Amino acid sequence: MTDKTTLTIIKPQAVRNLHSGKIIDMILSAGYIIKAIKMVTLSHDLASKFYEIHKDRPFYENLVKSMTSGPVIVALLEKDNAVQDYREFIGSTNPAEAVTGTIRNLFGTSMQDNAVHGSDSDENAAREASFFFSEMERF
């Protein structure tokens, strides 16, 4: 993985509220290439493992509960400076503080249900990509 790849997850609340298509369209319109994409439903064990980096934080259990409340769409995105640019593109973790027009501003409803996850570093993008996609699924 390089600085050209990041991982995103369209969270259950956004999938449930039928915002997935709009979010994917925004991602594509911003110049990202989708290298792999699929819909999955996370078990409690898988969500706990994915978010274990946050296990000591007060929001951890609620985050795991939220992420297991329905299907998610996971995608590998490619673009120069992918991680940093995508973090700016999606907006602040708190939708109420996100810049107008960002994904989280438009589709997030709370800190947990902020519509999308985005990798926060190149190292985490590589780890997260391997968590969800086999080598064969990444092209």
Side-chain angles (χ1 to χ4, degrees):
M1 301 274 306
T2 68
D3 68 343
K4 292 185 175 211
T5 307
T6 193
L7 181 119
T8 191
I9 303 172
I10 301 175
K11 295 182 176 186
Q13 156 266 331
V15 172
R16 215 174 8 262
N17 291 335
L18 306 178
H19 296 305
S20 303
K22 293 173 191 161
I23 291 170
I24 291 168
D25 187 53
M26 287 178 70
I27 291 167
L28 293 172
S29 295
Y32 292 89
I33 297 168
I34 296 175
K35 300 301 285 183
I37 190 168
K38 63 182 165 183
M39 181 177 273
V40 298
T41 300
L42 295 172
S43 67
H44 186 275
D45 287 344
L46 284 175
S48 296
K49 184 176 179 183
F50 183 76
Y51 284 109
E52 73 183 341
I53 193 169
H54 298 301
K55 69 181 174 189
D56 295 327
R57 300 182 112 172
F59 60 82
Y60 173 74
E61 285 301 326
N62 285 334
L63 177 60
V64 170
K65 183 178 179 183
S66 173
M67 291 301 290
T68 59
S69 69
V72 299
I73 296 173
V74 186
L76 286 178
L77 307 177
E78 184 177 272
K79 184 180 178 184
D80 287 339
N81 201 34
V83 170
Q84 182 179 347
D85 285 358
Y86 192 69
R87 300 285 295 177
E88 291 175 24
F89 177 68
I90 63 177
S92 174
T93 304
N94 183 347
E97 297 173 1
V99 172
T100 301
T102 59
I103 291 174
R104 288 176 169 166
N105 166 259
L106 294 170
F107 305 113
T109 58
S110 69
M111 292 277 284
Q112 283 165 197
D113 295 323
N114 57 12
V116 293
H117 164 89
S119 302
D120 63 2
S121 68
D122 291 338
E123 297 76 26
N124 280 338
R127 181 187 65 80
E128 292 171 356
S130 295
F131 187 90
F132 284 105
F133 295 98
S134 70
E135 193 67 37
M136 182 179 69
E137 293 174 301
R138 296 181 251 163
F139 57 95

